[in-house]
Short mmCIF file of all heavy atoms in Angstrom, two decimals:
data_model
loop_
_atom_site.label_atom_id
_atom_site.label_comp_id
_atom_site.label_asym_id
_atom_site.label_seq_id
_atom_site.Cartn_x
_atom_site.Cartn_y
_atom_site.Cartn_z
N GLY B 59 10.87 25.07 -18.13
CA GLY B 59 9.91 25.11 -19.23
C GLY B 59 8.63 25.84 -18.88
O GLY B 59 7.76 26.01 -19.73
N GLY B 60 8.51 26.23 -17.62
CA GLY B 60 7.35 27.02 -17.19
C GLY B 60 6.20 26.16 -16.73
O GLY B 60 6.30 24.93 -16.71
N GLY B 61 5.11 26.82 -16.35
CA GLY B 61 3.94 26.10 -15.85
C GLY B 61 3.75 26.36 -14.38
O GLY B 61 4.60 26.96 -13.73
N PRO B 62 2.60 25.89 -13.86
CA PRO B 62 2.25 26.21 -12.47
C PRO B 62 3.03 25.37 -11.46
O PRO B 62 3.59 24.33 -11.81
CB PRO B 62 0.76 25.85 -12.42
CG PRO B 62 0.62 24.74 -13.41
CD PRO B 62 1.62 25.01 -14.51
N GLY B 63 3.04 25.84 -10.23
CA GLY B 63 3.52 25.02 -9.11
C GLY B 63 5.02 24.95 -8.98
O GLY B 63 5.76 25.70 -9.62
N MET B 64 5.45 24.05 -8.10
CA MET B 64 6.86 23.88 -7.79
C MET B 64 7.22 22.40 -7.92
O MET B 64 6.36 21.52 -7.83
CB MET B 64 7.12 24.33 -6.35
CG MET B 64 6.78 25.79 -6.08
SD MET B 64 7.87 26.93 -6.97
CE MET B 64 9.18 27.14 -5.76
N VAL B 65 8.51 22.14 -8.12
CA VAL B 65 9.00 20.77 -8.31
C VAL B 65 10.07 20.49 -7.26
O VAL B 65 10.92 21.34 -6.99
CB VAL B 65 9.58 20.60 -9.74
CG1 VAL B 65 10.18 19.22 -9.92
CG2 VAL B 65 8.51 20.87 -10.79
N LEU B 66 10.03 19.30 -6.67
CA LEU B 66 11.06 18.92 -5.69
C LEU B 66 12.41 18.74 -6.40
O LEU B 66 12.49 18.07 -7.43
CB LEU B 66 10.67 17.61 -4.99
CG LEU B 66 9.70 17.76 -3.83
CD1 LEU B 66 9.24 16.39 -3.35
CD2 LEU B 66 10.36 18.52 -2.69
N ARG B 67 13.44 19.33 -5.84
CA ARG B 67 14.76 19.34 -6.47
C ARG B 67 15.42 17.97 -6.44
O ARG B 67 15.38 17.27 -5.42
CB ARG B 67 15.67 20.33 -5.75
CG ARG B 67 15.32 21.78 -5.98
CD ARG B 67 16.08 22.66 -5.02
NE ARG B 67 17.52 22.42 -5.12
CZ ARG B 67 18.43 23.38 -5.22
NH1 ARG B 67 18.06 24.65 -5.23
NH2 ARG B 67 19.71 23.08 -5.28
N ALA B 68 16.07 17.62 -7.54
CA ALA B 68 16.74 16.31 -7.65
C ALA B 68 17.90 16.20 -6.66
O ALA B 68 18.08 15.15 -6.03
CB ALA B 68 17.26 16.11 -9.08
N ASP B 69 18.68 17.28 -6.50
CA ASP B 69 19.87 17.18 -5.64
C ASP B 69 19.48 16.99 -4.17
O ASP B 69 20.05 16.15 -3.47
CB ASP B 69 20.80 18.39 -5.83
CG ASP B 69 20.09 19.72 -5.64
OD1 ASP B 69 18.83 19.73 -5.55
OD2 ASP B 69 20.77 20.77 -5.58
N VAL B 70 18.47 17.73 -3.73
CA VAL B 70 18.05 17.63 -2.33
C VAL B 70 17.46 16.24 -2.05
O VAL B 70 17.79 15.59 -1.06
CB VAL B 70 17.01 18.74 -1.99
CG1 VAL B 70 16.46 18.56 -0.59
CG2 VAL B 70 17.63 20.12 -2.18
N LEU B 71 16.61 15.78 -2.97
CA LEU B 71 15.97 14.48 -2.78
C LEU B 71 16.99 13.34 -2.83
O LEU B 71 16.93 12.40 -2.02
CB LEU B 71 14.89 14.30 -3.85
CG LEU B 71 13.74 13.38 -3.52
CD1 LEU B 71 13.19 13.64 -2.12
CD2 LEU B 71 12.63 13.55 -4.55
N ALA B 72 17.93 13.43 -3.75
CA ALA B 72 18.97 12.39 -3.85
C ALA B 72 19.79 12.35 -2.56
O ALA B 72 20.10 11.26 -2.04
CB ALA B 72 19.88 12.65 -5.05
#
Side-chain angles (χ1 to χ4, degrees):
M64 300 293 270
V65 176
L66 278 172
R67 289 169 56 132
D69 54 350
V70 174
L71 206 45

